[in-house]
Amino acid sequence: MLAFADKTYDTDVVVGAGASGVTAALQAAELGAKVVIIEKLPSLGGGTICSGLTVVGSDQQNKYGFHQFTDKSYVFKKIMDYNHYAGVAPIVSKFINESNNSYEWLKKHNVKFDPIFLYTYLEDPAWHPLTGHCAGMLKSLIEEFKKYNITALTETPGKSLIIKNGKVAGVIAESEEDGKVTINAKSVIIATGGYGGNPDMVKKYAPFKGFSVNKGSKFRVGDGINMALSAGADTHNIGLMQWHDPMPKTDIGRATRSGFNEPFFWVNKEGKRFMDETYRMLWAYSGNASLNQPDGVVIKLLDAATVKHITDNGGALYGVHDLKPNNDFNKSVEMDVQGNKVVKANSIKELVQKLNKNYGFNMDEATLQATIKQINDSYANHEDSQFFKNRQYLREFKTAPYYALVTYPAFLGSVGGIKVDENAAALDANNKPVPGLFVVGLDSGGMLYGDTYNIVSAGQTLGWAVNSGRFAAIKAVDEMKK
Ligand SMILES: Cc1cc2nc3c(=O)[nH]c(=O)nc-3n(C[C@H](O)[C@H](O)[C@H](O)COP(=O)(O)OP(=O)(O)OC[C@H]3O[C@@H](n4cnc5c(N)ncnc54)[C@H](O)[C@@H]3O)c2cc1C
């Protein structure tokens, strides 16, 4: 039997040591707070995956001539147009106005950035790539913890909030070493990364009720959101997810994934085309389009000539998963055919039969044949009269064997969660602050958006994590000093 000596701390507390929590802890400590940060995983920042954040008005944007993106009024209007004013304007405004201060603050704490580049021609020059991705940023920030005597407790999940006289007054956590850990605190900043790893919460809150693939962390299970709800906080836009390119149910070769993501020929399980495939570059858009299909199923099709074309010439789109010329896409596809992850057929009839048999679809061969005729006519006429795809991405689908990758709606995490104000203070149903409680990062990310997170001025989820972490810390310390 194990016996634990329970432990108590008197301090300010941050729950969750990912992008937003680490930022909040360092900012609060820098301003003089005594900080305890608790993390449920074995290492601080260990579960965070990301690469860059939104900044408006940076030295880089000036240096590389992206002057429009140094104009806050232009960017504010652009972002509010994107969200149709469903994003909360004062919060979007503060986010834009403070983004460069946060970027400079990160640099002051030894965080390094790579030069800005655009993944796609559809994107704004807003995304600032971190050297070494988020791991690089977190390593630098965590190094700074020593300077400010921040107490960091790993493998110590926060379990519930302490509430005294109607005010949040700390956190009860648990650790194998210390048993029950009581942290009495003047304020609590919740930063647990949303609920994307909790299938029950995804089912409850996300509007799409079919099967979907979680490509984010399985450890973000909504703990912080549930703690905030139990303290009387309200939700805002809680069903918003970071929808991504539709993905297969099982892992496939990296080259297979990249090649099938080329913008050539996607159909739904009825065999009908449903979008301009180039919009997969803005993956939130292809994610949305997949949600509108029966059961969310998207079948990515390639013929032998296009497999060879991609292998010889590389990808048509540059991006995160691009393929260089003379790559091993063809080999990767054949391996995944062997593993029953990609369907291969010598005729359209056989392709439909295999899809129906292996995946339980009820596709009509004549429907797929009609769609293939449409795509081949578009190629011949240099015009996609249905979805108006840029003609350089039109290709024929004529040469056997044919290949199909069956995919489903996929997300990187949840975005929406708790309702907060401009300081990331949790709000109740009457828009009144829940005393002592702040909620940051993906636990409150829905404030910036309408029905789709912003993939055009990209990096806003990490941008919100860093900025909201700082906003909460600054306000918490300010209140503490009163
Ligand atoms: C593949 C991929 C690529 C991405 N790229 C980008 C990008 O380039 N730009 C961008 O803006 N966004 C990107 N994102 C999203 C990015 O991951 C989030 O924006 C960011 O991590 C949010 O920070 P956070 O602090 O809210 O959550 P996290 O960074 O996930 O931190 C939450 C932390 O809380 C801990 N935790 C959970 N529950 C508890 C508990 N009960 N007690 C204590 N600790 C707990 C978790 O273990 C975790 O360490 C990407 C996501 C994925 C999956």
Tab-separated table of all heavy atoms in Angstrom, residues 157-191:
chain	number	residue	atom	x	y	z
A	157	PRO	N	-1.520	16.255	-12.182
A	157	PRO	CA	-2.716	16.804	-12.834
A	157	PRO	C	-3.602	17.585	-11.876
A	157	PRO	O	-3.845	17.135	-10.748
A	157	PRO	CB	-3.446	15.552	-13.345
A	157	PRO	CG	-2.882	14.408	-12.580
A	157	PRO	CD	-1.485	14.784	-12.192
A	158	GLY	N	-4.056	18.743	-12.335
A	158	GLY	CA	-5.052	19.501	-11.582
A	158	GLY	C	-6.366	18.748	-11.634
A	158	GLY	O	-6.767	18.264	-12.691
A	159	LYS	N	-7.038	18.629	-10.506
A	159	LYS	CA	-8.285	17.848	-10.450
A	159	LYS	C	-9.515	18.711	-10.220
A	159	LYS	O	-10.575	18.452	-10.766
A	159	LYS	CB	-8.193	16.796	-9.326
A	159	LYS	CG	-7.177	15.707	-9.603
A	159	LYS	CD	-7.673	14.813	-10.733
A	159	LYS	CE	-6.681	13.752	-11.099
A	159	LYS	NZ	-7.070	12.976	-12.269
A	160	SER	N	-9.375	19.705	-9.330
A	160	SER	CA	-10.548	20.552	-9.065
A	160	SER	C	-10.088	21.904	-8.547
A	160	SER	O	-8.931	22.069	-8.141
A	160	SER	CB	-11.474	19.878	-8.045
A	160	SER	OG	-10.764	19.640	-6.847
A	161	LEU	N	-11.009	22.850	-8.585
A	161	LEU	CA	-10.682	24.192	-8.098
A	161	LEU	C	-11.127	24.318	-6.643
A	161	LEU	O	-12.143	23.733	-6.239
A	161	LEU	CB	-11.406	25.242	-8.943
A	161	LEU	CG	-10.965	25.328	-10.407
A	161	LEU	CD1	-11.864	26.296	-11.175
A	161	LEU	CD2	-9.502	25.765	-10.516
A	162	ILE	N	-10.362	25.085	-5.881
A	162	ILE	CA	-10.782	25.414	-4.513
A	162	ILE	C	-11.591	26.702	-4.630
A	162	ILE	O	-11.126	27.675	-5.244
A	162	ILE	CB	-9.551	25.660	-3.614
A	162	ILE	CG1	-8.660	24.409	-3.578
A	162	ILE	CG2	-9.972	26.077	-2.215
A	162	ILE	CD1	-7.290	24.659	-2.947
A	163	ILE	N	-12.784	26.703	-4.075
A	163	ILE	CA	-13.601	27.921	-4.130
A	163	ILE	C	-13.935	28.335	-2.703
A	163	ILE	O	-14.451	27.525	-1.918
A	163	ILE	CB	-14.877	27.688	-4.960
A	163	ILE	CG1	-14.456	27.290	-6.380
A	163	ILE	CG2	-15.748	28.952	-4.994
A	163	ILE	CD1	-15.557	26.948	-7.318
A	164	LYS	N	-13.568	29.593	-2.372
A	164	LYS	CA	-13.857	30.091	-1.014
A	164	LYS	C	-14.589	31.413	-1.133
A	164	LYS	O	-14.116	32.323	-1.827
A	164	LYS	CB	-12.540	30.324	-0.252
A	164	LYS	CG	-11.888	29.045	0.250
A	164	LYS	CD	-10.673	29.364	1.123
A	164	LYS	CE	-9.922	28.084	1.432
A	164	LYS	NZ	-8.506	28.316	1.691
A	165	ASN	N	-15.698	31.518	-0.462
A	165	ASN	CA	-16.499	32.754	-0.476
A	165	ASN	C	-16.773	33.232	-1.902
A	165	ASN	O	-16.608	34.414	-2.218
A	165	ASN	CB	-15.798	33.878	0.311
A	165	ASN	CG	-15.497	33.446	1.725
A	165	ASN	OD1	-16.307	32.730	2.330
A	165	ASN	ND2	-14.340	33.834	2.237
A	166	GLY	N	-17.121	32.325	-2.769
A	166	GLY	CA	-17.477	32.692	-4.141
A	166	GLY	C	-16.291	33.061	-5.009
A	166	GLY	O	-16.464	33.552	-6.128
A	167	LYS	N	-15.076	32.834	-4.531
A	167	LYS	CA	-13.890	33.192	-5.321
A	167	LYS	C	-13.028	31.944	-5.533
A	167	LYS	O	-12.889	31.126	-4.611
A	167	LYS	CB	-13.088	34.254	-4.559
A	167	LYS	CG	-11.850	34.732	-5.273
A	167	LYS	CD	-11.079	35.759	-4.448
A	167	LYS	CE	-9.854	36.287	-5.188
A	167	LYS	NZ	-8.904	35.297	-5.638
A	168	VAL	N	-12.472	31.827	-6.727
A	168	VAL	CA	-11.537	30.726	-6.965
A	168	VAL	C	-10.280	31.001	-6.150
A	168	VAL	O	-9.676	32.076	-6.260
A	168	VAL	CB	-11.213	30.589	-8.471
A	168	VAL	CG1	-10.127	29.546	-8.696
A	168	VAL	CG2	-12.481	30.221	-9.245
A	169	ALA	N	-9.896	30.032	-5.320
A	169	ALA	CA	-8.822	30.294	-4.349
A	169	ALA	C	-7.728	29.241	-4.406
A	169	ALA	O	-6.930	29.110	-3.482
A	169	ALA	CB	-9.421	30.363	-2.945
A	170	GLY	N	-7.683	28.483	-5.497
A	170	GLY	CA	-6.599	27.516	-5.624
A	170	GLY	C	-7.025	26.276	-6.378
A	170	GLY	O	-8.106	26.232	-6.973
A	171	VAL	N	-6.145	25.286	-6.343
A	171	VAL	CA	-6.359	24.055	-7.109
A	171	VAL	C	-6.009	22.855	-6.236
A	171	VAL	O	-5.037	22.895	-5.480
A	171	VAL	CB	-5.440	24.038	-8.359
A	171	VAL	CG1	-5.536	22.717	-9.100
A	171	VAL	CG2	-5.775	25.184	-9.295
A	172	ILE	N	-6.795	21.808	-6.375
A	172	ILE	CA	-6.415	20.519	-5.791
A	172	ILE	C	-5.854	19.676	-6.937
A	172	ILE	O	-6.506	19.500	-7.973
A	172	ILE	CB	-7.626	19.781	-5.186
A	172	ILE	CG1	-8.329	20.627	-4.115
A	172	ILE	CG2	-7.202	18.416	-4.627
A	172	ILE	CD1	-7.536	20.862	-2.852
A	173	ALA	N	-4.629	19.205	-6.748
A	173	ALA	CA	-4.004	18.348	-7.757
A	173	ALA	C	-3.614	17.033	-7.095
A	173	ALA	O	-3.795	16.855	-5.883
A	173	ALA	CB	-2.785	19.054	-8.334
A	174	GLU	N	-3.085	16.133	-7.921
A	174	GLU	CA	-2.673	14.834	-7.378
A	174	GLU	C	-1.318	14.479	-7.938
A	174	GLU	O	-1.048	14.741	-9.115
A	174	GLU	CB	-3.656	13.757	-7.855
A	174	GLU	CG	-4.779	13.492	-6.902
A	174	GLU	CD	-5.760	12.497	-7.491
A	174	GLU	OE1	-5.360	11.649	-8.329
A	174	GLU	OE2	-6.926	12.598	-7.119
A	175	SER	N	-0.473	13.893	-7.100
A	175	SER	CA	0.767	13.369	-7.670
A	175	SER	C	1.088	12.051	-6.996
A	175	SER	O	0.723	11.833	-5.838
A	175	SER	CB	1.914	14.367	-7.501
A	175	SER	OG	2.625	14.120	-6.324
A	176	GLU	N	1.757	11.168	-7.746
A	176	GLU	CA	2.096	9.857	-7.176
A	176	GLU	C	2.992	10.036	-5.971
A	176	GLU	O	2.887	9.332	-4.980
A	176	GLU	CB	2.812	9.009	-8.228
A	176	GLU	CG	1.851	8.306	-9.122
A	176	GLU	CD	2.434	7.057	-9.749
A	176	GLU	OE1	3.476	6.565	-9.284
A	176	GLU	OE2	1.827	6.594	-10.719
A	177	GLU	N	3.902	11.020	-6.084
A	177	GLU	CA	4.885	11.220	-5.017
A	177	GLU	C	4.261	11.828	-3.771
A	177	GLU	O	4.506	11.385	-2.654
A	177	GLU	CB	5.964	12.161	-5.544
A	177	GLU	CG	7.338	11.892	-4.999
A	177	GLU	CD	8.342	12.763	-5.729
A	177	GLU	OE1	8.552	12.560	-6.945
A	177	GLU	OE2	8.854	13.666	-5.075
A	178	ASP	N	3.433	12.860	-3.988
A	178	ASP	CA	2.947	13.635	-2.845
A	178	ASP	C	1.486	13.397	-2.504
A	178	ASP	O	0.966	13.996	-1.566
A	178	ASP	CB	3.142	15.130	-3.118
A	178	ASP	CG	4.608	15.485	-3.253
A	178	ASP	OD1	5.404	14.938	-2.477
A	178	ASP	OD2	4.947	16.286	-4.139
A	179	GLY	N	0.812	12.552	-3.272
A	179	GLY	CA	-0.609	12.350	-3.004
A	179	GLY	C	-1.391	13.593	-3.359
A	179	GLY	O	-1.175	14.209	-4.407
A	180	LYS	N	-2.284	13.984	-2.450
A	180	LYS	CA	-3.095	15.174	-2.722
A	180	LYS	C	-2.226	16.425	-2.572
A	180	LYS	O	-1.537	16.594	-1.567
A	180	LYS	CB	-4.250	15.218	-1.731
A	180	LYS	CG	-5.156	16.403	-1.890
A	180	LYS	CD	-6.298	16.307	-0.886
A	180	LYS	CE	-7.060	17.611	-0.800
A	180	LYS	NZ	-8.030	17.605	0.291
A	181	VAL	N	-2.262	17.276	-3.597
A	181	VAL	CA	-1.480	18.513	-3.545
A	181	VAL	C	-2.476	19.672	-3.490
A	181	VAL	O	-3.310	19.824	-4.386
A	181	VAL	CB	-0.584	18.654	-4.798
A	181	VAL	CG1	0.198	19.960	-4.760
A	181	VAL	CG2	0.361	17.466	-4.911
A	182	THR	N	-2.399	20.464	-2.440
A	182	THR	CA	-3.308	21.610	-2.297
A	182	THR	C	-2.520	22.873	-2.609
A	182	THR	O	-1.492	23.143	-1.975
A	182	THR	CB	-3.850	21.689	-0.852
A	182	THR	OG1	-4.484	20.443	-0.552
A	182	THR	CG2	-4.843	22.825	-0.697
A	183	ILE	N	-2.981	23.614	-3.580
A	183	ILE	CA	-2.284	24.853	-3.928
A	183	ILE	C	-3.252	26.008	-3.684
A	183	ILE	O	-4.192	26.219	-4.457
A	183	ILE	CB	-1.799	24.836	-5.389
A	183	ILE	CG1	-0.990	23.555	-5.650
A	183	ILE	CG2	-0.934	26.065	-5.678
A	183	ILE	CD1	-0.726	23.291	-7.107
A	184	ASN	N	-3.045	26.709	-2.582
A	184	ASN	CA	-3.865	27.893	-2.303
A	184	ASN	C	-3.302	29.039	-3.131
A	184	ASN	O	-2.085	29.237	-3.164
A	184	ASN	CB	-3.800	28.243	-0.813
A	184	ASN	CG	-4.361	27.107	0.031
A	184	ASN	OD1	-5.440	26.592	-0.257
A	184	ASN	ND2	-3.616	26.694	1.049
A	185	ALA	N	-4.173	29.764	-3.806
A	185	ALA	CA	-3.649	30.767	-4.736
A	185	ALA	C	-4.557	31.982	-4.808
A	185	ALA	O	-5.774	31.866	-4.641
A	185	ALA	CB	-3.525	30.153	-6.126
A	186	LYS	N	-3.933	33.130	-5.068
A	186	LYS	CA	-4.730	34.361	-5.219
A	186	LYS	C	-5.488	34.322	-6.537
A	186	LYS	O	-6.568	34.868	-6.666
A	186	LYS	CB	-3.815	35.573	-5.159
A	186	LYS	CG	-3.127	35.694	-3.803
A	186	LYS	CD	-2.465	37.049	-3.637
A	186	LYS	CE	-1.703	37.094	-2.324
A	186	LYS	NZ	-0.449	36.303	-2.369
A	187	SER	N	-4.875	33.705	-7.541
A	187	SER	CA	-5.611	33.507	-8.793
A	187	SER	C	-5.132	32.228	-9.459
A	187	SER	O	-4.028	31.751	-9.192
A	187	SER	CB	-5.448	34.699	-9.735
A	187	SER	OG	-4.114	35.062	-9.804
A	188	VAL	N	-5.985	31.712	-10.324
A	188	VAL	CA	-5.682	30.472	-11.039
A	188	VAL	C	-5.798	30.748	-12.534
A	188	VAL	O	-6.778	31.346	-12.984
A	188	VAL	CB	-6.676	29.353	-10.637
A	188	VAL	CG1	-6.482	28.115	-11.508
A	188	VAL	CG2	-6.518	29.002	-9.162
A	189	ILE	N	-4.779	30.317	-13.270
A	189	ILE	CA	-4.830	30.443	-14.735
A	189	ILE	C	-4.909	29.034	-15.313
A	189	ILE	O	-3.983	28.229	-15.150
A	189	ILE	CB	-3.586	31.188	-15.271
A	189	ILE	CG1	-3.525	32.606	-14.677
A	189	ILE	CG2	-3.613	31.238	-16.799
A	189	ILE	CD1	-2.281	33.403	-15.061
A	190	ILE	N	-6.021	28.744	-15.952
A	190	ILE	CA	-6.228	27.411	-16.533
A	190	ILE	C	-5.710	27.405	-17.966
A	190	ILE	O	-6.054	28.281	-18.766
A	190	ILE	CB	-7.721	27.040	-16.474
A	190	ILE	CG1	-8.073	26.657	-15.033
A	190	ILE	CG2	-8.049	25.910	-17.434
A	190	ILE	CD1	-9.506	26.252	-14.826
A	191	ALA	N	-4.887	26.395	-18.282
A	191	ALA	CA	-4.207	26.359	-19.587
A	191	ALA	C	-4.002	24.906	-20.004
A	191	ALA	O	-2.882	24.463	-20.203
A	191	ALA	CB	-2.859	27.070	-19.461
